[in-house]
Amino acid sequence: MKALVLSGGAGTRLRPITHTSAKQLVPVANKAVLFYGLESIAAAGITEVGVVVGDTAEEIREAVGDGSKFGLEITYIPQERPLGLAHAVLIARDYLGDDAFVMYLGDNFIVGGITDLVEEFTRTRPDAQILLTRVSDPRAFGVAELDPSGQVIGLEEKPERPKSDLALVGVYLFTPVIHEAVRAIRPSWRGELEITHAIQHLIDARADVRSTVIKGYWKDTGNVGDMLEVNRTVLEGLDRRIDGEVDAGSETIGRVVVEAGARIVDSRIVGPAVIGSGTEVRDSYVGPFTSIAENCRITDSEVEFSIVLRDSSIDGVGRIENSLIGRHVRVTTAPSVPSAHRLVLGDHSKVQIHT
């Protein structure tokens, strides 16, 4: 069995971060989202992985390499434009051959991995198997309709009137029959080859399409809010570890990780939080659910429920929360300017000004 990992999307909902970085490489708990998926694939016993890449191919290649650090053999598959999930399957045909495969969206995060799902698929061998989860607003997702026995009878992509609250999670398992389906469909109104249409083609052809409703945590990390929520979830599983330097004037409370080479000076760190190697936190407070990457400087400031990427500094700005701060960013106080009121007043006016 092989895996097909999609890492070619533009990440428009994470701009401006993704103007200069692949969305799959934005870190949660100081590790790229993509790496969690690759680790889940390796844990499921799959070693051959095709990674579909687009405009950020060079950055993905540099981060992932040949896959050996994950116990994987990586083959990169270029995609000129992100033309849909089914298009990714179409261009990967030669690589996939006649093997069954798991398709994993590189910006998705699933607590607990996919090992059980892969084992179930291998044992029962349907033509396709999809993961579903219940969501409050299914209009933003691909949505599945099940019959009373739980069989998949219909799929819709981002429907205005969803027939259920079951959204497709970004992990799919297929046998080679999917290749005929992706060749048979036409682009949607979005100009993309939708994987939901390909699976619907299988359903219409009476193929065996099964589903698993997951009860664990899943997120599509496509926007800042979801990225911060995934960061929070991962940090909640931290084990306390202090490998860096914490001086006598500082305090670390709870599940705090201070990586080797980090320095905490006259500061308070309240977990769960992680401080990356080479980072210095001085005269500051870092609160729960915060990840500070490597080689950052936090001085005379407060940071909570945030992600700060590598080589950035925050100096004397009071409190920052609910924020995603990119690489090589400098956040400082603004220069003071004289306060003044600018007025255009008509005749016989009366004005009161608080000073």
Side-chain angles (χ1 to χ4, degrees), residues 263-275:
R263 296 184 66 219
I264 312 299
V265 181
D266 293 327
S267 298
R268 189 168 186 254
I269 315 296
V270 178
V274 57
I275 310 298

Side-chain angles (χ1 to χ4, degrees), residues 2 20-21 26 28 46 52 66 86 89-90 93 126 133 139 177 184 203 225 228 235 243-244 255 295 297 307:
K2 292 178 179 175
T20 54
S21 178
V26 176
V28 293
I46 299 170
V52 177
D66 63 2
V89 176
L90 191 67
R93 179 68 177 94
T133 190
R139 291 175 299 174
V177 299
I203 294 169
L228 292 173
L235 290 177
D243 294 334
R255 297 188 300 278
N295 301 319
R297 296 290 177 269
I307 299 173

Side-chain angles (χ1 to χ4, degrees), residues 8-29:
T12 55
R13 292 179 295 159
L14 273 174
R15 288 177 180 169
I17 298 292
T18 49
H19 279 308
T20 54
S21 178
K23 65 176 179 176
Q24 298 85 4
L25 296 181
V26 176
V28 293

Side-chain angles (χ1 to χ4, degrees), residues 7 16 30 130 221 335:
S7 298
N30 286 2
I130 59 177
T221 60

Side-chain angles (χ1 to χ4, degrees), residues 1 43-44 114-125 173:
M1 191 170 189
I114 61 171
T115 300
D116 291 345
L117 177 71
V118 170
E119 290 177 351
E120 179 187 352
F121 180 79
T122 302
R123 184 178 65 254
T124 60
R125 202 64 169 188
L173 294 107

Side-chain angles (χ1 to χ4, degrees), residues 4 85-86 89-90 93 96-97 99-101 103 127-130 172-185 194-203 207 209:
L4 186 66
L85 305 188
V89 176
L90 191 67
R93 179 68 177 94
L96 294 169
D99 293 314
F101 65 97
M103 184 168 77
D127 294 309
Q129 188 158 349
I130 59 177
Y172 310 78
L173 294 107
F174 297 116
T175 60
V177 299
I178 191 65
H179 297 300
E180 180 185 347
V182 299
R183 289 194 302 269
I185 62 173
E194 309 285 0
I195 198 65
T196 48
H197 292 177
I199 299 171
Q200 184 65 53
H201 181 85
L202 293 179
I203 294 169
V209 178

